[in-house]
Amino acid sequence: MRRLVTWDLMTLDGCFEGPTPWSLDFHTAVWGDELEAFSLEQLEEVGTLLFGRRTFEGMADYWSNETSAIADRMNAAEKIAATRNGTAKTWTNARVLEGDIADHIEDLKATDGKDIFVFGSADLMATLLTNGLVDEIRLCLVPIVLGGGNPLFKADGVRTDFNLIESRPFSSGGVLLRYEKRTG
């Protein structure tokens, strides 16, 4: 059984992006050798990248034009765009899922392979959390208060308890936090 892992950078006030879509300039506050090494390390665990449509399209626009070890892995990975209307831009090794995403992901988790990762995609993550499909949450806590922006965790979800399995400070001031869904 595959696990579903989410990965995001989040500010101290809980935002994963600023007040406008793709305002991610706060990422530069923690980006450096340590976070790059972690990013490469976790991309080795990826069997499938799962995105909401808007995040998928933004990622496709960005990574399709980049050249780096991270870009090579992002572009080579299997990717899925979850969408309500059945359309999304194209990107290498990508397909579109529409309809009840929870059913699709339950089926995907039941297959053999490496883990399924969600990057960004807060609305999709809310759906996945509500349906009990998230096995691990990975965050890089960015020591910035934006004072406004798009919250990572939506208020309309259900309670899910997690256990801390790793915390790792970076010299940039960011802190990697890994939480695993509590069972039993």
Short mmCIF file of all heavy atoms in Angstrom, two decimals, residues 50-110:
data_model
loop_
_atom_site.label_atom_id
_atom_site.label_comp_id
_atom_site.label_asym_id
_atom_site.label_seq_id
_atom_site.Cartn_x
_atom_site.Cartn_y
_atom_site.Cartn_z
N LEU A 50 0.84 14.47 -6.99
CA LEU A 50 -0.58 14.78 -7.12
C LEU A 50 -0.77 16.26 -6.82
O LEU A 50 -0.29 16.75 -5.79
CB LEU A 50 -1.38 13.93 -6.13
CG LEU A 50 -2.87 14.20 -5.98
CD1 LEU A 50 -3.61 13.91 -7.28
CD2 LEU A 50 -3.42 13.36 -4.83
N PHE A 51 -1.45 16.96 -7.72
CA PHE A 51 -1.69 18.38 -7.56
C PHE A 51 -3.15 18.70 -7.85
O PHE A 51 -3.78 18.04 -8.68
CB PHE A 51 -0.87 19.21 -8.56
CG PHE A 51 0.61 18.99 -8.53
CD1 PHE A 51 1.23 18.24 -9.50
CD2 PHE A 51 1.38 19.58 -7.55
CE1 PHE A 51 2.60 18.05 -9.49
CE2 PHE A 51 2.76 19.40 -7.54
CZ PHE A 51 3.37 18.63 -8.50
N GLY A 52 -3.65 19.76 -7.23
CA GLY A 52 -4.89 20.37 -7.71
C GLY A 52 -4.58 21.03 -9.05
O GLY A 52 -3.41 21.29 -9.38
N ARG A 53 -5.60 21.32 -9.83
CA ARG A 53 -5.38 21.84 -11.19
C ARG A 53 -4.56 23.13 -11.20
O ARG A 53 -3.62 23.27 -11.99
CB ARG A 53 -6.71 22.08 -11.91
CG ARG A 53 -6.51 22.53 -13.36
CD ARG A 53 -7.75 23.14 -13.99
NE ARG A 53 -8.40 24.14 -13.18
CZ ARG A 53 -8.02 25.42 -13.08
NH1 ARG A 53 -6.95 25.85 -13.74
NH2 ARG A 53 -8.68 26.25 -12.32
N ARG A 54 -4.90 24.09 -10.34
CA ARG A 54 -4.17 25.37 -10.37
C ARG A 54 -2.70 25.17 -10.03
O ARG A 54 -1.82 25.75 -10.67
CB ARG A 54 -4.81 26.37 -9.41
CG ARG A 54 -6.15 26.91 -9.90
CD ARG A 54 -6.69 27.94 -8.93
NE ARG A 54 -6.75 27.38 -7.58
CZ ARG A 54 -7.83 27.35 -6.84
NH1 ARG A 54 -8.95 27.86 -7.25
NH2 ARG A 54 -7.80 26.82 -5.62
N THR A 55 -2.42 24.36 -9.01
CA THR A 55 -1.03 24.11 -8.64
C THR A 55 -0.33 23.34 -9.75
O THR A 55 0.82 23.63 -10.09
CB THR A 55 -0.95 23.34 -7.31
OG1 THR A 55 -1.64 24.09 -6.31
CG2 THR A 55 0.48 23.12 -6.87
N PHE A 56 -1.02 22.35 -10.32
CA PHE A 56 -0.45 21.58 -11.43
C PHE A 56 -0.01 22.51 -12.55
O PHE A 56 1.11 22.40 -13.07
CB PHE A 56 -1.48 20.57 -11.95
CG PHE A 56 -1.03 19.79 -13.15
CD1 PHE A 56 -0.32 18.61 -13.00
CD2 PHE A 56 -1.29 20.25 -14.43
CE1 PHE A 56 0.11 17.90 -14.11
CE2 PHE A 56 -0.87 19.56 -15.54
CZ PHE A 56 -0.16 18.37 -15.38
N GLU A 57 -0.88 23.43 -12.94
CA GLU A 57 -0.56 24.32 -14.05
C GLU A 57 0.60 25.25 -13.71
O GLU A 57 1.48 25.49 -14.54
CB GLU A 57 -1.80 25.09 -14.48
CG GLU A 57 -2.81 24.15 -15.15
CD GLU A 57 -4.07 24.83 -15.64
OE1 GLU A 57 -4.32 26.00 -15.27
OE2 GLU A 57 -4.81 24.17 -16.39
N GLY A 58 0.64 25.76 -12.48
CA GLY A 58 1.76 26.60 -12.07
C GLY A 58 3.06 25.83 -12.02
O GLY A 58 4.11 26.33 -12.45
N MET A 59 3.01 24.61 -11.50
CA MET A 59 4.21 23.77 -11.45
C MET A 59 4.68 23.42 -12.86
O MET A 59 5.88 23.44 -13.14
CB MET A 59 3.94 22.49 -10.66
CG MET A 59 3.70 22.72 -9.19
SD MET A 59 5.26 23.08 -8.36
CE MET A 59 4.87 22.60 -6.70
N ALA A 60 3.75 23.08 -13.72
CA ALA A 60 4.11 22.75 -15.11
C ALA A 60 4.79 23.94 -15.78
O ALA A 60 5.82 23.78 -16.45
CB ALA A 60 2.86 22.33 -15.89
N ASP A 61 4.23 25.13 -15.61
CA ASP A 61 4.83 26.33 -16.20
C ASP A 61 6.25 26.55 -15.70
O ASP A 61 7.15 26.89 -16.46
CB ASP A 61 3.99 27.57 -15.88
CG ASP A 61 2.69 27.64 -16.68
OD1 ASP A 61 2.54 26.91 -17.68
OD2 ASP A 61 1.81 28.43 -16.28
N TYR A 62 6.45 26.36 -14.40
CA TYR A 62 7.75 26.62 -13.80
C TYR A 62 8.76 25.53 -14.13
O TYR A 62 9.83 25.80 -14.68
CB TYR A 62 7.62 26.79 -12.28
CG TYR A 62 8.95 27.09 -11.62
CD1 TYR A 62 9.46 28.38 -11.64
CD2 TYR A 62 9.71 26.09 -11.03
CE1 TYR A 62 10.69 28.66 -11.06
CE2 TYR A 62 10.94 26.36 -10.44
CZ TYR A 62 11.42 27.65 -10.47
OH TYR A 62 12.64 27.93 -9.91
N TRP A 63 8.45 24.27 -13.77
CA TRP A 63 9.44 23.21 -13.86
C TRP A 63 9.75 22.78 -15.29
O TRP A 63 10.86 22.31 -15.57
CB TRP A 63 9.02 22.00 -13.02
CG TRP A 63 9.07 22.30 -11.56
CD1 TRP A 63 8.02 22.44 -10.71
CD2 TRP A 63 10.24 22.54 -10.78
NE1 TRP A 63 8.47 22.76 -9.44
CE2 TRP A 63 9.84 22.82 -9.46
CE3 TRP A 63 11.61 22.54 -11.06
CZ2 TRP A 63 10.73 23.09 -8.43
CZ3 TRP A 63 12.51 22.82 -10.04
CH2 TRP A 63 12.06 23.08 -8.75
N SER A 64 8.84 22.98 -16.21
CA SER A 64 9.10 22.62 -17.61
C SER A 64 10.23 23.45 -18.21
O SER A 64 10.86 23.03 -19.18
CB SER A 64 7.83 22.82 -18.45
OG SER A 64 6.84 21.92 -18.05
N ASN A 65 10.48 24.61 -17.63
CA ASN A 65 11.50 25.52 -18.16
C ASN A 65 12.76 25.58 -17.32
O ASN A 65 13.67 26.34 -17.62
CB ASN A 65 10.91 26.93 -18.30
CG ASN A 65 9.75 26.96 -19.26
OD1 ASN A 65 9.88 26.48 -20.38
ND2 ASN A 65 8.62 27.48 -18.83
N GLU A 66 12.82 24.79 -16.25
CA GLU A 66 13.98 24.81 -15.36
C GLU A 66 14.96 23.70 -15.72
O GLU A 66 14.58 22.67 -16.29
CB GLU A 66 13.54 24.61 -13.91
CG GLU A 66 12.89 25.83 -13.30
CD GLU A 66 13.85 27.00 -13.16
OE1 GLU A 66 14.92 26.85 -12.53
OE2 GLU A 66 13.52 28.07 -13.69
N THR A 67 16.22 23.91 -15.37
CA THR A 67 17.25 22.89 -15.54
C THR A 67 18.02 22.79 -14.23
O THR A 67 18.73 23.71 -13.84
CB THR A 67 18.22 23.23 -16.69
OG1 THR A 67 18.76 24.53 -16.47
CG2 THR A 67 17.50 23.20 -18.04
N SER A 68 17.80 21.69 -13.53
CA SER A 68 18.50 21.41 -12.28
C SER A 68 18.19 19.97 -11.93
O SER A 68 17.33 19.33 -12.55
CB SER A 68 18.02 22.34 -11.16
OG SER A 68 16.68 22.06 -10.82
N ALA A 69 18.85 19.46 -10.91
CA ALA A 69 18.57 18.09 -10.46
C ALA A 69 17.12 17.98 -9.98
O ALA A 69 16.45 16.98 -10.25
CB ALA A 69 19.54 17.68 -9.36
N ILE A 70 16.63 19.01 -9.30
CA ILE A 70 15.24 18.99 -8.84
C ILE A 70 14.30 19.02 -10.04
O ILE A 70 13.33 18.25 -10.10
CB ILE A 70 14.95 20.16 -7.87
CG1 ILE A 70 15.71 19.94 -6.56
CG2 ILE A 70 13.45 20.29 -7.61
CD1 ILE A 70 15.62 21.10 -5.58
N ALA A 71 14.56 19.88 -11.00
CA ALA A 71 13.71 19.97 -12.20
C ALA A 71 13.70 18.64 -12.94
O ALA A 71 12.63 18.20 -13.40
CB ALA A 71 14.20 21.09 -13.11
N ASP A 72 14.85 18.01 -13.06
CA ASP A 72 14.90 16.71 -13.75
C ASP A 72 13.98 15.70 -13.08
O ASP A 72 13.25 14.97 -13.76
CB ASP A 72 16.33 16.16 -13.77
CG ASP A 72 17.27 16.97 -14.66
OD1 ASP A 72 16.78 17.79 -15.47
OD2 ASP A 72 18.49 16.77 -14.53
N ARG A 73 13.98 15.67 -11.76
CA ARG A 73 13.13 14.71 -11.04
C ARG A 73 11.67 15.10 -11.11
O ARG A 73 10.79 14.24 -11.22
CB ARG A 73 13.61 14.57 -9.60
CG ARG A 73 14.97 13.87 -9.54
CD ARG A 73 15.51 13.72 -8.16
NE ARG A 73 16.86 13.18 -8.24
CZ ARG A 73 17.70 13.18 -7.24
NH1 ARG A 73 17.35 13.68 -6.07
NH2 ARG A 73 18.91 12.69 -7.39
N MET A 74 11.38 16.38 -11.00
CA MET A 74 9.99 16.84 -11.10
C MET A 74 9.42 16.51 -12.48
O MET A 74 8.30 16.03 -12.59
CB MET A 74 9.90 18.35 -10.85
CG MET A 74 10.18 18.79 -9.43
SD MET A 74 8.91 18.32 -8.25
CE MET A 74 7.56 19.38 -8.75
N ASN A 75 10.19 16.77 -13.50
CA ASN A 75 9.70 16.55 -14.87
C ASN A 75 9.59 15.07 -15.20
O ASN A 75 8.73 14.67 -15.98
CB ASN A 75 10.59 17.28 -15.87
CG ASN A 75 10.40 18.78 -15.80
OD1 ASN A 75 9.28 19.27 -15.67
ND2 ASN A 75 11.49 19.52 -15.84
N ALA A 76 10.43 14.23 -14.62
CA ALA A 76 10.41 12.80 -14.93
C ALA A 76 9.34 12.04 -14.17
O ALA A 76 8.87 10.98 -14.61
CB ALA A 76 11.78 12.18 -14.63
N ALA A 77 8.90 12.55 -13.03
CA ALA A 77 7.95 11.84 -12.17
C ALA A 77 6.58 11.73 -12.83
O ALA A 77 6.18 12.58 -13.62
CB ALA A 77 7.81 12.58 -10.83
N GLU A 78 5.86 10.66 -12.45
CA GLU A 78 4.45 10.57 -12.84
C GLU A 78 3.69 11.67 -12.11
O GLU A 78 3.92 11.90 -10.92
CB GLU A 78 3.87 9.21 -12.44
CG GLU A 78 2.38 9.12 -12.73
CD GLU A 78 1.70 7.89 -12.15
OE1 GLU A 78 2.04 7.50 -11.01
OE2 GLU A 78 0.83 7.35 -12.84
N LYS A 79 2.80 12.35 -12.82
CA LYS A 79 2.05 13.46 -12.24
C LYS A 79 0.57 13.30 -12.53
O LYS A 79 0.19 12.82 -13.60
CB LYS A 79 2.56 14.79 -12.80
CG LYS A 79 3.97 15.12 -12.34
CD LYS A 79 4.60 16.24 -13.11
CE LYS A 79 5.13 15.86 -14.44
NZ LYS A 79 6.24 14.94 -14.51
N ILE A 80 -0.23 13.72 -11.56
CA ILE A 80 -1.69 13.70 -11.72
C ILE A 80 -2.23 15.07 -11.35
O ILE A 80 -1.87 15.64 -10.32
CB ILE A 80 -2.34 12.64 -10.80
CG1 ILE A 80 -1.88 11.23 -11.20
CG2 ILE A 80 -3.86 12.75 -10.85
CD1 ILE A 80 -2.37 10.14 -10.27
N ALA A 81 -3.11 15.58 -12.20
CA ALA A 81 -3.84 16.81 -11.92
C ALA A 81 -5.26 16.44 -11.53
O ALA A 81 -5.96 15.80 -12.31
CB ALA A 81 -3.86 17.73 -13.14
N ALA A 82 -5.66 16.80 -10.32
CA ALA A 82 -7.04 16.58 -9.88
C ALA A 82 -7.84 17.82 -10.25
O ALA A 82 -7.48 18.93 -9.86
CB ALA A 82 -7.07 16.35 -8.37
N THR A 83 -8.90 17.63 -11.01
CA THR A 83 -9.67 18.77 -11.49
C THR A 83 -11.15 18.46 -11.51
O THR A 83 -11.55 17.31 -11.67
CB THR A 83 -9.19 19.20 -12.90
OG1 THR A 83 -9.98 20.29 -13.36
CG2 THR A 83 -9.27 18.06 -13.90
N ARG A 84 -11.94 19.49 -11.33
CA ARG A 84 -13.39 19.33 -11.37
C ARG A 84 -13.93 19.40 -12.79
O ARG A 84 -15.01 18.94 -13.06
CB ARG A 84 -14.06 20.40 -10.51
CG ARG A 84 -13.79 20.23 -9.03
CD ARG A 84 -14.47 21.33 -8.22
NE ARG A 84 -14.07 21.24 -6.83
CZ ARG A 84 -13.08 21.94 -6.29
NH1 ARG A 84 -12.37 22.79 -7.02
NH2 ARG A 84 -12.77 21.81 -5.01
N ASN A 85 -13.16 20.02 -13.70
CA ASN A 85 -13.68 20.21 -15.06
C ASN A 85 -12.99 19.37 -16.12
O ASN A 85 -13.29 19.49 -17.30
CB ASN A 85 -13.66 21.69 -15.44
CG ASN A 85 -12.25 22.25 -15.58
OD1 ASN A 85 -11.27 21.50 -15.62
ND2 ASN A 85 -12.15 23.55 -15.65
N GLY A 86 -12.05 18.53 -15.73
CA GLY A 86 -11.43 17.61 -16.68
C GLY A 86 -10.37 18.19 -17.57
O GLY A 86 -9.87 17.52 -18.47
N THR A 87 -9.97 19.45 -17.34
CA THR A 87 -8.95 20.04 -18.18
C THR A 87 -7.78 20.52 -17.34
O THR A 87 -7.93 20.90 -16.19
CB THR A 87 -9.50 21.25 -18.99
OG1 THR A 87 -9.95 22.24 -18.06
CG2 THR A 87 -10.63 20.83 -19.90
N ALA A 88 -6.61 20.47 -17.94
CA ALA A 88 -5.40 20.99 -17.33
C ALA A 88 -4.36 21.12 -18.43
O ALA A 88 -4.46 20.45 -19.46
CB ALA A 88 -4.89 20.08 -16.22
N LYS A 89 -3.38 21.96 -18.23
CA LYS A 89 -2.28 22.07 -19.18
C LYS A 89 -1.57 20.73 -19.29
O LYS A 89 -1.74 19.86 -18.44
CB LYS A 89 -1.28 23.13 -18.72
CG LYS A 89 -1.80 24.52 -18.77
CD LYS A 89 -0.73 25.50 -18.33
CE LYS A 89 -1.26 26.93 -18.41
NZ LYS A 89 -0.25 27.90 -18.05
N THR A 90 -0.75 20.58 -20.29
CA THR A 90 0.02 19.36 -20.42
C THR A 90 1.37 19.51 -19.72
O THR A 90 1.88 20.62 -19.55
CB THR A 90 0.24 19.00 -21.90
OG1 THR A 90 0.93 20.08 -22.53
CG2 THR A 90 -1.08 18.75 -22.61
N TRP A 91 1.92 18.37 -19.33
CA TRP A 91 3.24 18.31 -18.69
C TRP A 91 3.69 16.88 -18.88
O TRP A 91 2.87 15.96 -18.91
CB TRP A 91 3.10 18.68 -17.23
CG TRP A 91 4.37 18.89 -16.45
CD1 TRP A 91 5.66 18.91 -16.91
CD2 TRP A 91 4.45 19.13 -15.03
NE1 TRP A 91 6.53 19.14 -15.88
CE2 TRP A 91 5.81 19.27 -14.72
CE3 TRP A 91 3.52 19.21 -14.01
CZ2 TRP A 91 6.25 19.51 -13.42
CZ3 TRP A 91 3.96 19.45 -12.72
CH2 TRP A 91 5.31 19.61 -12.44
N THR A 92 4.97 16.64 -18.99
CA THR A 92 5.47 15.29 -19.22
C THR A 92 4.99 14.32 -18.15
O THR A 92 4.92 14.68 -16.97
CB THR A 92 7.02 15.27 -19.26
OG1 THR A 92 7.51 15.81 -18.04
CG2 THR A 92 7.56 16.05 -20.43
N ASN A 93 4.67 13.12 -18.57
CA ASN A 93 4.26 12.03 -17.68
C ASN A 93 3.07 12.40 -16.80
O ASN A 93 3.01 12.02 -15.63
CB ASN A 93 5.42 11.58 -16.79
CG ASN A 93 6.61 11.13 -17.58
OD1 ASN A 93 6.46 10.44 -18.58
ND2 ASN A 93 7.79 11.55 -17.18
N ALA A 94 2.12 13.17 -17.35
CA ALA A 94 0.99 13.65 -16.56
C ALA A 94 -0.33 13.14 -17.12
O ALA A 94 -0.47 12.87 -18.30
CB ALA A 94 0.98 15.17 -16.53
N ARG A 95 -1.28 13.02 -16.19
CA ARG A 95 -2.65 12.69 -16.58
C ARG A 95 -3.61 13.46 -15.68
O ARG A 95 -3.22 14.01 -14.65
CB ARG A 95 -2.90 11.19 -16.49
CG ARG A 95 -2.74 10.60 -15.12
CD ARG A 95 -2.81 9.06 -15.18
NE ARG A 95 -2.36 8.46 -13.96
CZ ARG A 95 -3.16 7.82 -13.10
NH1 ARG A 95 -4.44 7.71 -13.36
NH2 ARG A 95 -2.67 7.30 -12.00
N VAL A 96 -4.86 13.48 -16.09
CA VAL A 96 -5.88 14.24 -15.38
C VAL A 96 -6.86 13.27 -14.74
O VAL A 96 -7.26 12.27 -15.36
CB VAL A 96 -6.63 15.18 -16.36
CG1 VAL A 96 -7.83 15.84 -15.69
CG2 VAL A 96 -5.68 16.22 -16.92
N LEU A 97 -7.24 13.54 -13.50
CA LEU A 97 -8.31 12.81 -12.82
C LEU A 97 -9.43 13.79 -12.54
O LEU A 97 -9.18 14.87 -12.01
CB LEU A 97 -7.84 12.23 -11.48
CG LEU A 97 -6.88 11.06 -11.48
CD1 LEU A 97 -6.56 10.67 -10.04
CD2 LEU A 97 -7.45 9.88 -12.23
N GLU A 98 -10.64 13.41 -12.91
CA GLU A 98 -11.77 14.25 -12.55
C GLU A 98 -12.81 13.42 -11.83
O GLU A 98 -12.76 12.20 -11.85
CB GLU A 98 -12.36 14.93 -13.79
CG GLU A 98 -12.95 14.00 -14.82
CD GLU A 98 -13.57 14.74 -15.98
OE1 GLU A 98 -14.27 15.74 -15.75
OE2 GLU A 98 -13.34 14.32 -17.12
N GLY A 99 -13.71 14.11 -11.18
CA GLY A 99 -14.73 13.40 -10.43
C GLY A 99 -14.35 13.31 -8.97
O GLY A 99 -13.65 14.16 -8.43
N ASP A 100 -14.81 12.25 -8.31
CA ASP A 100 -14.58 12.06 -6.87
C ASP A 100 -13.13 11.67 -6.63
O ASP A 100 -12.74 10.52 -6.76
CB ASP A 100 -15.52 10.99 -6.32
CG ASP A 100 -15.42 10.86 -4.81
OD1 ASP A 100 -14.48 11.44 -4.21
OD2 ASP A 100 -16.27 10.17 -4.23
N ILE A 101 -12.32 12.66 -6.29
CA ILE A 101 -10.88 12.44 -6.14
C ILE A 101 -10.58 11.46 -5.02
O ILE A 101 -9.62 10.68 -5.09
CB ILE A 101 -10.12 13.77 -5.95
CG1 ILE A 101 -8.60 13.56 -6.09
CG2 ILE A 101 -10.44 14.42 -4.63
CD1 ILE A 101 -8.16 13.14 -7.44
N ALA A 102 -11.40 11.45 -3.97
CA ALA A 102 -11.15 10.54 -2.85
C ALA A 102 -11.17 9.08 -3.31
O ALA A 102 -10.31 8.29 -2.94
CB ALA A 102 -12.17 10.76 -1.73
N ASP A 103 -12.14 8.72 -4.14
CA ASP A 103 -12.20 7.35 -4.67
C ASP A 103 -10.98 7.04 -5.52
O ASP A 103 -10.39 5.96 -5.42
CB ASP A 103 -13.47 7.13 -5.49
CG ASP A 103 -14.72 7.04 -4.64
OD1 ASP A 103 -14.60 6.82 -3.41
OD2 ASP A 103 -15.82 7.22 -5.20
N HIS A 104 -10.59 7.98 -6.37
CA HIS A 104 -9.40 7.78 -7.21
C HIS A 104 -8.15 7.55 -6.36
O HIS A 104 -7.33 6.68 -6.66
CB HIS A 104 -9.16 8.99 -8.12
CG HIS A 104 -10.14 9.15 -9.23
ND1 HIS A 104 -10.37 8.19 -10.19
CD2 HIS A 104 -10.95 10.20 -9.55
CE1 HIS A 104 -11.27 8.62 -11.04
NE2 HIS A 104 -11.64 9.84 -10.68
N ILE A 105 -8.00 8.34 -5.30
CA ILE A 105 -6.80 8.25 -4.48
C ILE A 105 -6.80 6.98 -3.65
O ILE A 105 -5.76 6.35 -3.46
CB ILE A 105 -6.62 9.52 -3.62
CG1 ILE A 105 -6.49 10.75 -4.53
CG2 ILE A 105 -5.41 9.40 -2.70
CD1 ILE A 105 -5.47 10.63 -5.66
N GLU A 106 -7.95 6.58 -3.14
CA GLU A 106 -8.02 5.29 -2.43
C GLU A 106 -7.55 4.16 -3.34
O GLU A 106 -6.77 3.30 -2.91
CB GLU A 106 -9.45 5.02 -1.95
CG GLU A 106 -9.82 5.81 -0.72
CD GLU A 106 -11.26 5.54 -0.28
OE1 GLU A 106 -11.89 4.58 -0.75
OE2 GLU A 106 -11.74 6.32 0.57
N ASP A 107 -8.00 4.17 -4.59
CA ASP A 107 -7.57 3.15 -5.55
C ASP A 107 -6.07 3.24 -5.82
O ASP A 107 -5.37 2.23 -5.88
CB ASP A 107 -8.34 3.28 -6.87
CG ASP A 107 -9.81 2.92 -6.74
OD1 ASP A 107 -10.21 2.29 -5.73
OD2 ASP A 107 -10.59 3.30 -7.65
N LEU A 108 -5.56 4.46 -5.99
CA LEU A 108 -4.14 4.66 -6.27
C LEU A 108 -3.28 4.21 -5.09
O LEU A 108 -2.23 3.58 -5.28
CB LEU A 108 -3.87 6.13 -6.59
CG LEU A 108 -2.48 6.50 -7.07
CD1 LEU A 108 -2.13 5.76 -8.36
CD2 LEU A 108 -2.38 8.01 -7.29
N LYS A 109 -3.72 4.50 -3.86
CA LYS A 109 -2.97 4.08 -2.68
C LYS A 109 -2.90 2.56 -2.55
O LYS A 109 -1.95 2.03 -1.99
CB LYS A 109 -3.59 4.68 -1.41
CG LYS A 109 -3.30 6.17 -1.24
CD LYS A 109 -3.94 6.72 0.02
CE LYS A 109 -3.24 6.18 1.24
NZ LYS A 109 -3.68 6.81 2.49
N ALA A 110 -3.88 1.87 -3.09
CA ALA A 110 -3.93 0.41 -2.99
C ALA A 110 -2.99 -0.28 -3.97
O ALA A 110 -2.80 -1.49 -3.89
CB ALA A 110 -5.36 -0.08 -3.20
#
